[in-house]
Amino acid sequence: MTMQFFATCPKGLEGLLKTELEGLGAEQCRETVAGVYFEGELSQAYKACLWSRLANKILLPLTSGAVKDAEDLYELVFALPWHEHLQPEGTLLVDFSGQNNAIRNTQFGAVKVKDAIVDKLRQVSGSRPSVDKAQPDIRINARLSKGKLVVSLDLCGDSLHRRGYRQQQGQAPLKENLAAAILLRSGWCQETEQSEPELALIDPMCGSGTFLIEAAMIAADIAPGLGRAHFAFERWLGHDESAWQTLQEDAKARRMVGLAREDLPEIRGYDANLKVIRAAEQNIVRAGLDDWLRVTRKELRELKRPTHSELTRGLILTNPPYGERLGEVESMKILYAHLGERLRAEFTGWRAGIFTGNPELGKNLGMRSNRKYKLFNGAIASELLLFDINPEQFYKETSHEPAVSVAVDNFAPVPSSKPELSNGAQMLVNRISKNHKALKRFFKRTGTNAYRLYDADMPEYACAIDVYQGQSHQTGAPLRLVHVQEYQAPKTVDEARAAERFAEIQAAVPVALEVDESQVSYKQRRRNRGLEQYEKQSERIDGESLVLTEGQAKLLVNPWPYLDTGVFLDHRPVRLKIAEQAKNKRFLNLFCYTASASIHAAVGGARYTTSVDMSQTYLNWARRNLALNGLSESKNRLIQADCLKWLNEADGLYDIILLDPPTFSNSKRMDSVLDVQRDHVDLISKAMKLLDQHGVLYFSNNLRDFRMEIEALSEFQLTDITSSTIDEDFNRNKKIHHCWEIRHGQ
């Protein structure tokens, strides 16, 4: 007997679901909002329950009619022959949705439907059913819309997206049927005249593995409903057990044949979060796919094409985070850019599908999508962006030129007397040129592309000049920025004369370094109090920021808004030392600033890093640095806290600790005033409690007349390594910082 059914689905999947149902043999398929009507015998509905990868529910409509009030609703439901569906002593559950002027509460509507069913069965048999919210014998779906009530038998029970394999999940899991829809939209396992099926699928941010498992079930012809414990129709009086058993046996046979195929594609998943990787492993085991699918803990920066086999084509499919909290979106832009870089570098000839709840972030991938699909992830309007991966298609929103690497010699300054300069300004130009020439061998030997070129070499021009060379963060093009910090003049210096000298500095620097004036940032360095170090020094917002490469790390430099640029150049040797020692080590960074040392530790292979700072501004900057290097916060924790207070409460052990406190701080966010000379013994002692017995603590500060209290710290081994941590560009100032290597005593 032909019957009419209704399959519900997430908004946006109606067309796909219609095609799927037609492929399963359904007839008279007709799309509507969030669902598809179809016809067939009862076994056709069973087949949809078992095989649909996209539907939420398969409903059997029983009646419909106009409903003005509760009495109309009751009479419409009471008129149905409920004894044909449910034993009088059976159990039921009612799902009610919608409202009108008289029925404004879904719970009230559900109770009225239940009352009508109970009263009808009691009238027929003298017995009444009861409500069971866990496993009822039948489940009733009642939907009230535009004054019309549709009453249906729910043949599924739990939504069909619950396949039975996913008991463990990440923080923001995709529903299984949405994941399947994304795979189908991406062309997974679909052979056309223009292309062959993919040989592999990789999800670089796989979470609990939903894409991987759904992809495997599609590739191996596995019915998604085969792993469910039960369906609602199995306790329904109209159930055809024979037809159901036949469908199940056929699905089991097809699964066995599918998994035995020798041409199954390679399917891999990576994630930096060990917890979700463990969840993915458990889900894969429950799906019975653990002999095939592989998941590995891996940072995005480690994403590479598998090398053990010739995978000339494949699909990268992932659902990256899109930033919901304040401060996250900027780091997500960088993460998407890094993902685009990895795809172009490693997966030429493959295709990619990026599903995002923030489509604007897709622009940061640096690739033009050849197709877009609008979908809904719950209530979130989302997009699936599809790409053919080709390095030549690189683009930026502000530039269509490819990014290039930066060579130090590209920016060698050439002295010039144009425009006309004062004698003093010309002297400064000559000194800058002389300094650059003296450092040239150092640049060539070390590959240093950010350095201090001048530091009050001529007392009358008391400033520090730092040069940063790298790539524009906005366009990817080569970029050179100059940061000039004028030291505050003594009160004995005439203000007019000080202003005149500063004007000469401003005239000399662009000429000496052959940069446009717009690429030079000028600041006045003075002793900061409280929150002043975090306050913006300039309202300029149009200046470019720069991506600096230091060793294997990439660091974001912005010389415009704050007193400092995001990286302390004098600590370069310490950061590189940490990177060399970090492999498989636990690293703690106290007073971390923008966490540049943590980035070095992480790219050097640290087991994990922890970075602590009081400023959310700088932690957000650190978050962007992590994204720039394809690193996640699951292995690299960022903690906003007063380090003094945090040290009193912290536990755990670290193999390497960097303790680099400010000279002085009286921030209102702190419980007490920090004075590094007075407090360094206490700071070091507390930090050493967190250091492994065989670990090392690097203690550094910038107080020029600092004196280490060696006797008070006699239980530790203290080694002054200051001289070895000052590179040639800072040699003129031997007191730029002090640095010690501290270990536990024997």
Side-chain angles (χ1 to χ4, degrees):
M1 183 178 67
T2 299
M3 309 168 76
Q4 186 180 75
F5 304 96
F6 182 66
T8 70
C9 67
K11 188 177 178 181
L13 302 191
E14 297 90 347
L16 275 177
L17 177 58
K18 179 175 179 289
T19 300
E20 179 187 59
L21 291 170
E22 289 172 340
L24 293 173
E27 299 176 350
Q28 302 297 318
C29 296
R30 177 170 58 89
E31 290 181 47
T32 186
V33 177
V36 176
Y37 291 100
F38 67 97
E39 293 182 3
E41 295 183 354
L42 182 59
S43 60
Q44 185 62 54
Y46 288 174
K47 192 172 186 179
C49 288
L50 183 60
W51 280 97
S52 178
R53 304 184 190 280
L54 306 171
N56 282 330
K57 296 277 190 178
I58 305 298
L59 304 176
L60 172 59
L62 300 177
T63 189
S64 63
V67 167
K68 295 181 180 179
D69 52 30
E71 184 177 347
D72 287 347
L73 181 152
Y74 180 91
E75 290 179 356
L76 182 67
V77 176
F78 186 85
L80 286 168
W82 289 107
H83 60 281
E84 296 178 4
H85 304 290
L86 177 66
Q87 294 284 0
E89 66 277 8
T91 58
L92 75 156
L93 181 65
V94 178
D95 296 319
F96 191 96
S97 62
Q99 60 182 19
N100 63 14
N101 291 334
I103 304 170
R104 300 183 180 182
N105 184 284
T106 56
Q107 185 175 358
F108 173 75
V111 169
K112 296 303 293 184
V113 171
K114 183 266 297 180
D115 288 345
I117 297 172
V118 169
D119 291 348
K120 183 60 176 283
L121 285 172
R122 185 160 47 193
Q123 182 188 74
V124 172
S125 66
S127 300
R128 57 162 292 164
S130 58
V131 172
D132 184 345
K133 294 183 179 180
Q135 286 191 341
D137 294 332
I138 64 168
R139 193 161 182 164
I140 308 303
N141 182 283
R143 183 172 182 268
L144 177 60
S145 177
K146 297 180 180 179
K148 181 181 179 181
L149 180 70
V150 179
V151 181
S152 304
L153 190 69
D154 181 349
L155 299 178
C156 306
D158 280 344
S159 173
L160 291 178
H161 81 268
R162 296 191 175 98
R163 321 287 204 212
Y165 63 76
R166 195 171 75 178
Q167 296 179 24
Q168 302 290 328
Q169 58 192 34
Q171 291 184 342
L174 288 178
K175 288 185 177 180
E176 293 87 326
N177 55 347
L178 178 57
I182 292 168
L183 283 156
L184 294 173
R185 284 295 193 205
S186 301
W188 174 244
C189 288
Q190 296 174 26
E191 185 173 2
T192 67
E193 294 181 359
Q194 292 78 28
S195 63
E196 299 178 72
E198 260 69 41
L199 298 173
L201 179 138
I202 294 176
D203 183 351
M205 289 172 272
C206 70
S208 55
T210 307
F211 274 145
L212 311 178
I213 296 172
E214 293 296 318
M217 291 199 295
I218 292 172
D221 191 31
I222 299 173
L226 201 54
R228 285 172 58 107
H230 60 84
F231 290 87
F233 60 71
E234 292 180 83
R235 298 185 181 186
W236 172 47
L237 290 182
H239 174 47
D240 184 344
E241 180 64 20
S242 176
W244 175 233
Q245 288 298 327
T246 299
L247 286 169
Q248 282 189 304
E249 292 304 318
D250 175 68
K252 291 175 182 177
R254 287 170 62 174
R255 182 183 190 278
M256 187 176 298
V257 171
L259 289 176
R261 282 172 40 202
E262 295 183 357
D263 62 343
L264 288 172
E266 185 164 339
I267 300 177
R268 293 187 180 187
Y270 309 126
D271 203 286
N273 190 325
L274 182 61
K275 183 178 179 180
V276 299
I277 284 292
R278 293 289 179 259
E281 289 173 339
Q282 294 175 33
N283 292 340
I284 289 169
V285 169
R286 272 190 291 271
L289 300 170
D290 46 310
D291 289 337
W292 176 10
L293 309 189
R294 292 289 178 268
V295 290
T296 308
R297 184 181 187 179
K298 185 177 290 190
E299 294 279 12
L300 182 60
R301 72 184 315 271
E302 302 171 65
L303 176 62
K304 293 182 179 180
R305 184 196 299 236
T307 56
H308 71 279
S309 58
E310 290 297 324
L311 296 176
T312 56
R313 64 184 185 276
L315 175 65
I316 303 291
L317 185 64
T318 194
N319 173 32
Y322 53 89
E324 295 178 293
R325 294 176 298 185
L326 186 64
E328 281 188 341
V329 173
E330 287 303 312
S331 62
M332 289 301 102
K333 289 179 181 178
I334 299 172
L335 181 142
Y336 276 66
H338 187 89
L339 174 59
E341 290 176 7
R342 299 310 304 154
L343 296 182
R344 292 190 300 275
E346 293 288 336
F347 296 95
T348 298
W350 284 43
R351 296 188 306 110
I354 310 299
F355 182 70
T356 175
N358 187 343
E360 283 297 307
L361 289 173
K363 297 177 180 178
N364 296 277
L365 289 163
M367 302 186 296
R368 294 192 183 280
S369 60
N370 50 34
R371 188 168 296 178
K372 299 179 182 179
Y373 291 102
K374 293 188 180 297
L375 299 167
F376 280 84
N377 184 8
I380 302 172
S382 306
E383 276 190 6
L384 171 62
L385 310 174
L386 299 179
F387 305 88
D388 292 323
I389 302 173
N390 181 349
E392 301 304 319
Q393 73 172 174
F394 174 83
Y395 83 97
K396 284 278 185 180
E397 290 299 299
T398 53
S399 171
H400 296 279
E401 296 298 321
V404 297
S405 59
V406 180
V408 172
D409 287 344
N410 286 349
F411 298 106
V414 178
S416 172
S417 59
K418 297 179 180 181
E420 186 175 343
L421 301 174
S422 68
N423 290 336
Q426 187 61 54
M427 288 173 56
L428 183 57
V429 168
N430 295 339
R431 177 57 66 97
I432 291 172
S433 179
K434 178 182 177 181
N435 287 358
H436 187 277
K437 186 176 181 179
L439 289 170
K440 203 166 185 179
R441 288 184 180 177
F442 168 68
F443 298 154
K444 186 175 182 179
R445 184 179 75 252
T446 63
T448 299
N449 55 8
Y451 48 88
R452 177 150 295 181
L453 190 55
Y454 176 93
D455 197 352
D457 298 33
M458 298 188 295
E460 59 268 43
Y461 298 104
C463 68
I465 301 175
D466 296 329
V467 179
Y468 297 87
Q469 297 166 175
Q471 294 178 349
S472 167
H473 177 51
Q474 285 79 1
T475 68
L479 178 64
R480 186 183 213 207
L481 297 177
V482 182
H483 191 231
V484 179
Q485 304 169 72
E486 183 197 20
Y487 297 120
Q488 191 170 21
K491 293 181 180 180
T492 56
V493 176
D494 179 69
E495 289 187 11
R497 181 57 181 147
E500 181 181 332
R501 287 176 177 171
F502 184 63
E504 289 181 312
I505 293 172
Q506 289 179 299
V509 169
V511 172
L513 297 175
E514 288 198 330
V515 295
D516 189 89
E517 291 181 358
S518 65
Q519 304 305 102
V520 185
S521 173
Y522 296 95
K523 309 278 177 60
Q524 185 182 73
R525 181 166 285 280
R526 61 188 186 276
R527 186 174 184 182
N528 290 305
R529 300 282 180 175
L531 297 178
E532 289 180 6
Q533 61 183 313
Y534 306 118
E535 292 176 354
K536 289 190 175 182
Q537 304 291 308
S538 169
E539 292 304 316
R540 178 175 177 178
I541 59 174
D542 61 337
E544 288 184 277
S545 52
L546 176 145
V547 176
L548 169 68
T549 299
E550 184 180 82
Q552 299 301 311
K554 293 181 180 179
L555 304 172
L556 192 62
V557 172
N558 189 340
W560 310 110
Y562 300 100
L563 181 62
D564 295 304
T565 64
V567 57
F568 296 125
L569 294 181
D570 62 303
H571 286 297
R572 180 196 313 121
V574 176
R575 290 191 292 270
L576 294 174
K577 182 188 288 285
I578 287 170
E580 290 177 0
Q581 299 173 345
K583 190 172 181 61
N584 296 322
K585 300 295 178 60
R586 300 160 292 181
F587 177 67
L588 173 62
N589 190 355
L590 296 166
F591 304 95
C592 72
Y593 187 39
T594 61
S596 54
S598 302
I599 302 299
H600 273 279
V603 299
R607 193 191 313 177
Y608 58 81
T609 71
T610 301
S611 305
V612 186
D613 199 278
M614 188 169 53
S615 167
Q616 190 60 55
T617 297
Y618 288 145
L619 289 178
N620 285 337
W621 198 325
R623 192 168 278 114
R624 295 194 287 275
N625 276 336
L626 288 174
L628 191 65
N629 290 271
L631 299 166
S632 71
E633 289 186 53
S634 61
K635 287 182 65 176
N636 302 282
R637 287 199 306 158
L638 302 175
I639 299 174
Q640 183 182 19
D642 172 0
C643 287
L644 300 175
K645 185 176 180 181
W646 187 84
L647 279 171
N648 290 329
E649 302 168 355
D651 54 13
L653 289 176
Y654 297 88
D655 303 295
I656 305 174
I657 298 177
L658 175 62
L659 176 58
D660 182 25
T663 298
F664 180 85
S665 179
N666 63 349
S667 169
K668 293 179 180 178
R669 299 175 186 169
M670 299 174 61
D671 290 343
S672 59
V673 173
L674 170 64
D675 183 315
V676 72
Q677 182 62 67
R678 182 194 67 198
D679 299 328
H680 72 277
V681 172
D682 185 52
L683 277 171
I684 292 171
S685 299
K686 288 176 179 177
M688 290 298 286
K689 292 179 180 179
L690 302 178
L691 185 69
D692 184 86
Q693 190 64 31
H694 303 289
V696 58
L697 180 146
Y698 293 106
F699 171 70
S700 180
N701 71 81
N702 296 86
L703 180 61
R704 297 180 70 86
D705 57 354
F706 178 80
R707 300 178 310 282
M708 176 69 84
E709 299 288 346
I710 296 176
E711 291 187 8
L713 296 167
S714 59
E715 63 180 298
F716 308 122
Q717 297 180 27
L718 281 71
T719 305
D720 188 341
I721 60 170
T722 301
S723 60
S724 67
T725 62
I726 297 178
D727 267 341
E728 291 180 30
D729 53 331
F730 284 93
N731 257 342
R732 65 176 68 81
N733 182 359
K734 299 294 185 181
K735 295 184 178 181
I736 188 68
H737 69 238
H738 306 273
C739 192
W740 276 266
E741 184 180 279
I742 305 176
R743 300 178 184 272
H744 287 292
Q746 295 298 321

